[in-house]
Amino acid sequence: MSVTVVVGLQWGDEGKGKIVDFLSDNVDVVARYQGGANAGHTVVVNGEEIILHLIPTGILHPCVTCLIGHGVVVDPEELLAEIDLLQKRRISPEGRLWISDRAHLVLPHHKLLDAARERGDGSGCIGTTGRGIGPAYEDKISRRGIRIGDFDNIKLFEDKLVRNIREKNLLLDRIYGIPGLEEEEVLLSYVEYARKLKPYLADTTILLNKAIEEGEEILLEGAQGTLLDVDMGTYPYVTSSNPTSGGACVGLGLAPSRINRVVGVVKAYTTRVGNGPFPTEVRDELGDKLREMGHEYGATTGRPRRCGWFDGILTRHSVLINGVTGLALTKLDVLDQLETIKVCTAYQVNGKNLDYFPGDPNILDSCHPQYVDFEGWRHDTTGVRAFPDLPVQARRYVSFLEDLLGVKINILSLGSDRKKTILID
């Protein structure tokens, strides 16, 4: 029996979906522990691209049970659309997908508030997806949230929903000048959502811990990446939950002693979506070239990602706080055509080198990356299926990253398809 956490080590979009899908072939349970429909995991199976926002990617394997933990905020409309998407592809989630009855709901007023705040903040906006995730977590923490388990008592659910709508309508009208929601319209929609989702509700904490006791193989997945963690990321340009490995325990009701391995997923270069500091960002035509070669557009919003060189300082920070035991390096093939490849090994601030990741975003924004240059391999690697068959320059690059981070790279991804993966160890 083993419990493995898969966590992103950058600003998200590292390719966690593919890695979870790849590892799901040998597990019994895949559980999602935080985030909401503001993140997308893209998986390519036999040339077909499938994007999931809430349902774990393990659902694509017919013998895997999937859990959505209470650390996730659930948009029922989005979840039902994903269930419908799977059923159209003849993938049945019934009896294999379970949603925690403690998970909080994303409601229509959360989305309105999210969008209104982004519009009102001007140059200080964070760059959210507008999916209502932050406001949903706000209600959860302020103890005003509505949990999906409230669907079991429709009268109680309706009372809570009406109170929430009336409160948020005042806020929308008087602060943001936006028309409020129609109570009856929202109620009718959510009563129907309740009817459709009730068969999927369960105490996922019990299910997960029982599976561990029975010796099953467990895989835990989060959304976003470490540098978007609300505590350890580039605050305030972060998400509203904890994508780090510690978030898996809180978001699933799991003791830390249960976790055996932490697989850190890291891209062979660096990207981020939205605003916030990004020391190794490449702002010229090379950055545009990286974006096009790597198809760096958000799976949820389609927004173009900012692109830059591999940041060793940032990634060492993520390795440390997640307790990473092994790495999965993705998108190495995107670098195939570059003559020179750079890796940041230190920051320089006011003429002094900084070898740690600062918590102050203002300091981070003034950091000048110090690079080591590597000769590119100028060779198509997408057909390579064994590490020794990679060009020597590519192998040197991978070995340097291992030494820099102090962790072995066990998985190497050379394309979006499942088959384009090298298992090194």
Side-chain angles (χ1 to χ4, degrees):
M1 179 276 298
S2 69
V3 178
T4 301
V5 184
V6 177
V7 61
L9 300 185
Q10 295 159 314
W11 278 291
D13 309 311
E14 301 93 349
K16 296 181 298 298
K18 176 189 172 174
I19 299 304
V20 171
D21 175 66
F22 178 76
L23 295 174
S24 293
D25 202 33
N26 296 301
V27 303
D28 301 293
V29 177
V30 179
R32 165 84 176 270
Y33 60 83
Q34 53 76 226
N38 57 334
H41 284 173
T42 303
V43 180
V44 178
V45 182
N46 298 323
E48 182 183 12
E49 184 178 84
I50 300 174
I51 300 175
L52 297 171
H53 299 279
L54 286 164
I55 299 175
T57 49
I59 201 72
L60 304 177
H61 296 258
C63 297
V64 174
T65 296
C66 291
L67 309 178
I68 297 176
H70 54 259
V72 179
V73 287
V74 176
D75 181 338
E77 184 179 10
E78 177 66 41
L79 181 56
L80 286 166
E82 286 186 30
I83 290 172
D84 184 57
L85 172 76
L86 292 170
Q87 289 173 335
K88 285 179 178 177
R89 286 169 167 76
R90 298 184 180 180
I91 300 169
S92 176
E94 293 178 8
R96 295 200 297 124
L97 174 65
W98 301 103
I99 309 159
S100 172
D101 53 9
R102 294 182 174 92
H104 280 247
L105 289 167
V106 176
L107 298 159
H109 49 258
H110 294 141
K111 298 177 185 179
L112 290 176
L113 280 169
D114 202 354
R117 287 170 179 170
E118 283 292 287
R119 285 195 301 270
D121 283 347
S123 60
C125 69
I126 294 169
T128 76
T129 61
R131 296 298 181 97
I133 306 305
Y137 276 114
E138 285 178 34
D139 276 1
K140 174 180 177 177
I141 298 304
S142 66
R143 293 161 297 182
R144 289 179 172 84
I146 301 177
R147 302 200 293 187
I148 199 167
D150 292 333
F151 280 161
D152 280 337
N153 186 330
I154 288 296
K155 180 63 172 67
L156 177 64
F157 171 76
E158 289 180 351
D159 290 344
K160 286 184 176 182
L161 185 57
V162 167
R163 285 199 303 270
N164 269 258
I165 291 173
R166 289 176 181 175
E167 177 188 291
K168 296 303 189 296
N169 277 352
L170 285 173
L171 184 61
L172 288 165
D173 177 41
R174 297 183 182 181
I175 302 297
Y176 298 105
I178 295 174
L181 295 161
E182 293 291 337
E183 291 176 16
E184 192 63 30
E185 183 179 336
V186 177
L187 279 169
L188 287 173
S189 296
Y190 274 75
V191 167
E192 181 63 13
Y193 296 154
R195 182 186 68 80
K196 291 180 178 179
L197 288 176
K198 275 187 71 173
Y200 295 97
L201 303 188
D203 188 326
T204 55
T205 296
I206 290 176
L207 292 178
L208 181 62
N209 282 280
K210 183 180 179 183
I212 294 171
E213 292 293 340
E214 292 177 353
E216 296 187 357
E217 293 291 320
I218 314 294
L219 197 60
L220 315 179
E221 68 165 1
Q224 292 96 22
T226 297
L227 272 298
L228 291 177
D229 186 280
V230 69
D231 294 305
M232 300 305 299
T234 49
Y235 189 91
Y237 304 99
V238 292
T239 192
S240 302
S241 57
N242 297 107
T244 44
S245 60
C249 300
V250 178
L252 289 167
L254 190 66
S257 56
R258 295 286 203 181
I259 295 174
N260 307 104
R261 295 186 299 168
V262 179
V263 175
V265 186
V266 63
K267 200 177 289 186
Y269 49 100
T270 310
T271 64
R272 83 170 294 174
V273 172
N275 298 336
F278 185 175
T280 64
E281 183 174 8
V282 179
R283 300 176 184 272
D284 57 20
E285 62 274 10
L286 181 56
D288 296 335
K289 184 178 180 180
L290 274 173
R291 183 181 304 112
E292 295 308 314
M293 291 190 301
H295 307 292
E296 296 295 351
Y297 296 89
T300 299
T301 63
R303 290 184 295 177
R305 297 173 186 147
R306 300 155 63 190
C307 298
W309 298 116
F310 189 94
D311 190 330
I313 304 303
L314 176 157
T315 313
R316 271 211 309 259
H317 167 79
S318 297
V319 166
L320 173 70
I321 63 178
N322 284 295
V324 172
T325 57
L327 293 168
L329 183 69
T330 64
K331 292 202 166 185
L332 184 67
D333 57 295
V334 175
L335 306 179
D336 281 352
Q337 302 307 316
L338 301 184
E339 292 184 9
T340 303
I341 299 165
K342 297 177 181 288
V343 175
C344 172
T345 57
Y347 298 147
Q348 195 172 83
V349 184
N350 298 325
K352 295 182 179 179
N353 276 4
L354 195 67
D355 63 356
Y356 65 89
F357 191 79
D360 186 337
N362 296 309
I363 294 176
L364 186 63
D365 208 26
S366 64
C367 286
H368 298 283
Q370 305 301 294
Y371 290 115
V372 173
D373 290 359
F374 287 85
E375 179 190 357
W377 42 93
R378 306 299 300 275
H379 181 81
D380 182 5
T381 61
T382 56
V384 178
R385 295 295 176 265
F387 184 72
D389 296 334
L390 284 172
V392 63
Q393 297 92 336
R395 283 183 276 130
R396 285 175 185 158
Y397 184 71
V398 171
S399 296
F400 181 84
L401 297 186
E402 286 183 327
D403 293 339
L404 179 65
L405 303 176
V407 185
K408 285 291 184 184
I409 293 171
N410 307 124
I411 301 171
L412 200 57
S413 174
L414 298 165
S416 55
D417 196 90
R418 283 175 181 171
K419 297 175 183 177
K420 295 180 179 180
T421 310
I422 296 174
L423 191 61
I424 300 174
D425 182 12

